[in-house]
Amino acid sequence: MDGGTVILGLRSVFAAAHLLADLNVPEPPVEAMWRRVLAAVALRVGGLETPDGEAWLDAREDLLERGRFDADRVAGYFDPASERWRLFGGPRPFLQDPRLADEGGDLAPPGRLVMTRASGANALWADSTPQDVPVDAGEAVAWLLTWRGYGPSGTAGTRRHGGRSSHIAKAGPYRALISYFPHHPDSLFTTLVLSVPAPSAWPTNPGPDQAPWESEQLHDPLAVLPPAGPASLLASRAAHAVLLTGDDDGRTVGCRITWGTTTDLPPATDPYVIERDTGGPVRASRSRAVWRDLDALLLHQRPGDKNTLRRPTVFDHLAELDPDLLGVLGVRALGWDQERRDLDRAWYSATTPPVLRHLAEADPDGAAAIAAAHRSAETWAGQLRRALAAAWRGANPLRHKDDQPGFVDQGSAQYWERAEPEFWTAITTPDTPPAFQPLAITCFDTGTAALKSTARGRRATAQARAKLFRAPGKGVSRPAA
């Protein structure tokens, strides 16, 4: 099926991963959750469970050379407890809490599961389907995953457990964050293997390291434990509890969604997020292009004026790969711009060209050049904003200053939109320096055209524009073309 798509169950995904190019998941938060679940399974079926760092690297190299997951290991993982991979019914439906049948109160309509449908007093976001329309199984499992990772804090269904009754839920562990994954453009098998973090990124808290479908016991929502290893880190962190009700056609016709913990989740370093030394992981922002944080993925740490950024730990041991393989790997970025409580703005995704060959450990000069290009882009963006602000103030001395940010933001947005292709051109052709200064001048001229209708505006614009011909912090430079 060259170029085609096919719907597969989880067992078939791993049996045929070497024949598949990529996942086909339209919603970025759903894809981010699937990639975590698939990495947890790849850990097991790929034999990447040894905590010894050198032995783990050898096991990963052997697996990549083999080129596929072992069929017997795949069968041995999925077959013994096949009922735990079912979406409806039984004692342990997939990633659900069967106790909610007794503890979870009234059954909500199926549309409550789908985060893009209007619900209660929430405004319509993307889907006008009525709440009572059943949800097909494939869509249902996608939103089940998304509730576990991105569910909002605040009001949920009422749950009574262990003498406690509440309808207040905590925010999901990945809510409002952007996740980054190693990505092979033509091999899902390779992508899954490389998405398993190395032992240096594993938590070492006491207790069994199990994914929810591996555990014989349901967790205690009144005493949630920190992850004890890679499987629990990748698949067991959730603040919400969900139980689906299905019909004979395999559709979800009702659901219960409520709190899965009464306290904040225990802290843990997720291997797919950029950590800051203060303030937690980098949050998703629909207005910030992914390439602007590329150097934070390639450098082990990126110093900043306010925060030092630490790259996702899943990238820490990719430089040991064969150079030919490293040379084709890019980054898949998946973000959902949200507020921690309940406001959802927009989700987005991006896949970079092959950039991981420039990891600092493999290509320090390339990583440094990318970091320098990013700094240059940010510097001229700042210069542009200051010039636009100065031109507006000079042309409008009597207008309220609250009108200024919209004018400046418009010109800045145009700059960043056009800076991305300039950045990639500079990366793919290192002998061509990025022309961010000329771009800033062009965006300034476009943004200030309306200010030149008066003599005061022309004078203010000319004075502000002159600042863009000076190198930041230095004297006058040669005028840009």
Side-chain angles (χ1 to χ4, degrees), residues 35 38-39 42-43 48 56-57 60-61 63-64 69 180-185 187-198 271-272 312-322 325-330 356 359:
R35 285 178 179 260
L38 296 177
L43 169 84
L48 300 175
W56 186 91
L57 288 173
R60 185 182 68 176
E61 182 178 356
L63 180 59
L64 290 170
F69 294 111
Y180 302 91
F181 299 85
H183 183 76
H184 192 295
S187 171
L188 180 61
F189 165 77
T190 304
T191 294
L192 295 182
V193 173
L194 299 184
S195 295
V196 178
Y272 310 112
T313 55
V314 73
F315 295 108
D316 281 353
H317 291 278
L318 297 184
E320 289 92 335
L321 294 170
D322 180 272
L325 173 56
L326 191 61
V328 301
L329 297 178
L356 291 185
L359 282 165

Side-chain angles (χ1 to χ4, degrees), residues 56-75:
W56 186 91
L57 288 173
D58 291 340
R60 185 182 68 176
E61 182 178 356
D62 292 343
L63 180 59
L64 290 170
E65 288 182 356
R66 195 180 309 129
R68 62 179 296 169
F69 294 111
D70 181 80
D72 291 336
R73 288 189 69 107
V74 172

Side-chain angles (χ1 to χ4, degrees), residues 34 206 214 260 275 311:
W34 269 127
E214 298 173 342
E275 289 281 354
R311 74 180 174 203

